[in-house]
Amino acid sequence: MHFAVRRHRSKYLAVFLATTALITAAPLQSAPIDASKLDDAALAAALGEARGRSKPLLCDELVPLTAEALKRAAAPANAETFAAGNAALWCAIEEKRYADASAAIEQTEAKLGRQEAFDRVAISLDSFLSRPEQAIARIDILAKTGGGEALTSIPPEVIYDLSRAATTAKRPDLKLALWSSIYSARSFGQLDPEVIGGTGINLLQAKADSGLLSDKDSDLADLVTNAGAYAALLSQRRYAPLWPHLEERAGDNLAEVLKLDVQINAERFKAAPNDTERFAGLIYSLLQSGNLKPAIDATEPFREDGMDYSEINEQIAWAINSMAIALRASDRPEEGLKALDALASLDPEQHSWVVNFAINHAAALAGEARHAEALASYDRAQPIAEKQGSPFARAIITGQRACSLHTLGRTDEAAAMLKALEAVRLDAVQGSIGSAMCVGRDDLAIAWALEALADDTHRPVAIAALQPRYMENTPPAWNDPEPNLLLAKSPELAAAFEKVARVVPERFAPLGGKPRLGPKPASSQP
């Protein structure tokens, strides 16, 4: 079992801090300039000098200078109004006064109207300040203005964070408005393929949540190429009107969809070969399409002797994670485990994302039936997760500890760990159900699956968990639990599942899930 414990923190803060770093970071002077004491010529000279530097002092220099220039300017003073508002905006961001930064935009635009220069940071601020309505309204303006070209400058992560905010707030109307605006823009075809594909699945979700989905929405289904997302569409009954079209389009083993996904990701990477996120996306696409050798070959530099992982970023780490799975699925488990161990050994103070790979290394050891080593690896992961991990990460560690302890015959410890998992089971639904099965508590696994199926938030994960193992989109381990077997053991669970889902026919088993990881138990069948 693989646990992609990606960070769920907001990314917009990083967006505008990175932008701010381009124009700040000069040492602050002892006190702000008293611009009121400057005559007009001196004020103009000071402004010219400040603007001529690559990193002017925002709060101590540009704010007082631009404010004073505005006071002295003759009406309508549009340029001076923008300059003062812009300086106040970036000063507030530099000092992490984000509400004040947003207010600076509002005050400036109240006088001048919408300012294109503010679009990206305004959306980021509104998102960060939990004001998705305002952010989505501006997205709509961008989509409808001119040809919608301004929409192409909004980072995909900002759009996805907005979508998650709408989902968390249980506002399908906002999610529908966001993705509808994006889809309607004339510039839609110019957007990042990640956004184009995301538009398909998210707009279908929003329409289903709002009771608006019909068989007329096949154009949206045609945008979806990710195997996991496609499997969700094939399994959840709310998408039943689209099943005939989805099945015809997919091909056996989702081959046609996965072929297109590789093509899109390859072209996306070719257009920006230094973009590490696009590289990671391509490697994962190769993995989920069953192209193990190309994935292994493309990541060969990360297996060279003496390779130093300390300088890599998180996206390269995810590419290495995919490489490790491909190696394990190609009967090269030691190479895969070595790469994961190297990632897990990085300093978490320098790399806040290490928790993901500390957990994945331990899970890989468990998948190779090396449970004593897995427990030691979880010992390494636990303190990192306590400090930097999400509730999901901590729940996964608890559940996997219970499983490995039980497998090693340490049943009392396993039972205690399972009791701890019960309190946080909804933080990691699929992992919790599997861990309960591993410890021999099918009764708990059934109860937890029923609970998740009854909840709008957790239902999609529960439906995915209850699919047969052949619906995995990347290689599973032979010893992974199989929650699908619970359907035959519990008529109540089977009935609850049947109301909201179906078992996807085996002909649509994704290519990427066909290989297996770890030693094959004597009693196991493919």
Side-chain angles (χ1 to χ4, degrees):
M1 187 174 295
H2 321 300
F3 298 106
V5 198
R6 289 182 184 270
R7 297 172 297 178
H8 291 287
R9 68 176 180 83
S10 295
K11 293 183 179 179
Y12 2 88
L13 185 59
V15 171
F16 35 83
L17 285 184
T19 308
T20 306
L22 298 176
I23 56 175
T24 64
L28 295 179
Q29 58 192 55
S30 58
I33 290 175
D34 186 351
S36 65
K37 295 182 178 179
L38 302 175
D39 60 29
D40 290 349
L43 178 62
L47 271 171
E49 193 275 332
R51 288 168 173 162
R53 281 187 273 110
S54 60
K55 295 180 179 179
L57 303 173
L58 291 170
C59 300
D60 289 349
E61 188 173 43
L62 276 184
V63 166
L65 289 172
T66 55
E68 185 63 26
L70 177 59
K71 284 181 185 179
R72 301 183 192 183
N78 290 348
E80 290 82 2
T81 298
F82 176 82
N86 192 51
L89 161 67
W90 291 105
C91 168
I93 289 176
E94 182 180 60
E95 295 183 344
K96 297 181 172 57
R97 295 182 287 107
Y98 301 120
D100 291 343
S102 184
I105 292 176
E106 292 173 3
Q107 291 163 11
T108 303
E109 293 191 331
K111 298 174 183 176
L112 303 178
R114 169 184 160 252
Q115 297 295 298
E116 184 177 343
F118 288 162
D119 284 334
R120 179 169 169 174
V121 69
I123 291 168
S124 296
L125 284 166
D126 282 333
S127 300
F128 183 73
L129 294 169
S130 300
R131 300 189 310 205
E133 294 94 339
Q134 290 93 320
I136 291 171
R138 191 177 282 255
I139 289 281
D140 187 57
I141 291 172
L142 298 189
K144 293 177 178 176
T145 301
E149 289 84 0
L151 200 58
T152 63
S153 69
I154 305 301
E157 61 266 24
V158 172
I159 294 172
Y160 277 101
D161 279 333
L162 275 174
S163 186
R164 279 191 291 270
T167 300
T168 301
K170 297 189 175 180
R171 291 286 304 275
D173 58 318
L174 286 179
K175 188 170 182 177
L176 185 64
L178 170 65
W179 292 103
S180 294
S181 293
I182 292 170
Y183 190 45
S184 67
R186 281 193 288 165
S187 62
F188 180 72
Q190 303 169 34
L191 299 179
D192 189 309
E194 182 182 359
V195 175
I196 292 175
T199 299
I201 185 62
N202 282 284
L203 200 44
L204 287 172
Q205 287 174 354
K207 286 195 167 192
D209 289 342
S210 303
L212 300 173
L213 187 77
S214 76
D215 59 359
K216 306 297 184 185
D217 292 311
S218 59
D219 57 325
L220 295 174
D222 288 345
L223 300 175
V224 181
T225 60
N226 176 274
Y230 210 87
L233 296 176
L234 286 170
S235 63
Q236 297 175 30
R237 287 203 177 275
R238 60 185 186 156
Y239 301 117
L242 292 171
W243 283 350
H245 177 79
L246 288 164
E247 292 180 359
E248 181 181 358
R249 174 178 180 249
D252 290 347
N253 303 118
L254 305 188
E256 296 303 315
V257 170
L258 293 171
K259 179 181 178 182
L260 180 59
D261 190 69
V262 171
Q263 177 184 332
I264 289 171
N265 278 280
E267 291 174 354
R268 183 172 180 254
F269 175 62
K270 184 178 180 180
N274 294 321
D275 188 321
T276 56
E277 186 273 331
R278 295 186 179 200
F279 175 71
L282 174 57
I283 301 305
Y284 185 77
S285 181
L286 291 169
L287 177 66
Q288 73 166 1
S289 62
N291 288 298
L292 300 182
K293 187 176 186 303
I296 291 171
D297 290 347
T299 51
E300 182 178 3
F302 302 109
R303 299 191 302 278
E304 293 178 355
D305 290 340
M307 173 66 190
D308 182 8
Y309 283 3
S310 65
E311 297 300 320
I312 66 172
N313 63 18
E314 183 179 7
Q315 297 304 327
I316 290 296
W318 283 111
I320 293 170
N321 188 80
S322 295
M323 175 192 79
I325 297 171
L327 288 166
R328 292 176 59 212
S330 302
D331 296 321
R332 297 163 65 177
E334 293 305 322
E335 292 178 78
L337 290 170
K338 179 181 178 181
L340 287 174
D341 183 52
L343 290 177
S345 299
L346 294 172
D347 184 354
E349 296 300 323
Q350 299 296 319
H351 308 282
S352 60
W353 38 261
V354 164
V355 62
N356 303 319
F357 308 103
I359 292 172
N360 287 355
H361 175 251
L365 286 167
E368 298 292 338
R370 292 159 59 169
H371 289 282
E373 293 173 77
L375 287 173
S377 187
Y378 281 123
D379 286 341
R380 171 172 61 181
Q382 185 75 50
I384 305 173
E386 291 298 331
K387 185 174 181 180
Q388 299 176 333
S390 65
F392 174 80
R394 293 188 286 273
I396 287 296
I397 291 175
T398 302
Q400 285 293 292
R401 279 184 183 277
C403 185
S404 288
L405 287 166
H406 182 82
T407 304
L408 292 171
R410 295 161 62 176
T411 54
D412 289 345
E413 294 173 84
M417 198 63 65
L418 190 65
K419 186 172 181 61
L421 178 63
E422 186 168 12
V424 295
R425 62 190 180 276
L426 292 179
D427 289 333
V429 169
Q430 184 167 358
S432 296
I433 293 170
S435 294
M437 291 184 71
C438 180
V439 178
R441 291 294 307 275
D442 284 1
D443 58 322
L444 270 184
I446 290 168
W448 294 353
L450 282 166
E451 178 185 34
L453 283 174
D455 183 273
D456 290 345
T457 300
H458 302 297
R459 186 179 302 122
V461 178
I463 290 172
L466 292 168
Q467 292 297 318
R469 183 158 58 183
Y470 64 67
M471 283 308 295
E472 294 281 351
N473 63 323
T474 58
W478 280 107
N479 63 3
D480 279 349
E482 296 185 71
N484 173 260
L485 301 178
L486 298 173
L487 296 175
K489 295 184 177 184
S490 170
E492 182 184 7
L493 179 61
F497 177 82
E498 186 66 20
K499 286 181 180 179
V500 296
R502 67 167 177 171
V503 171
V504 178
E506 189 169 2
R507 64 170 285 224
F508 300 113
L511 290 169
K514 287 188 171 295
R516 294 288 184 265
L517 306 177
K520 179 181 179 181
S523 60
S524 293
Q525 297 297 323

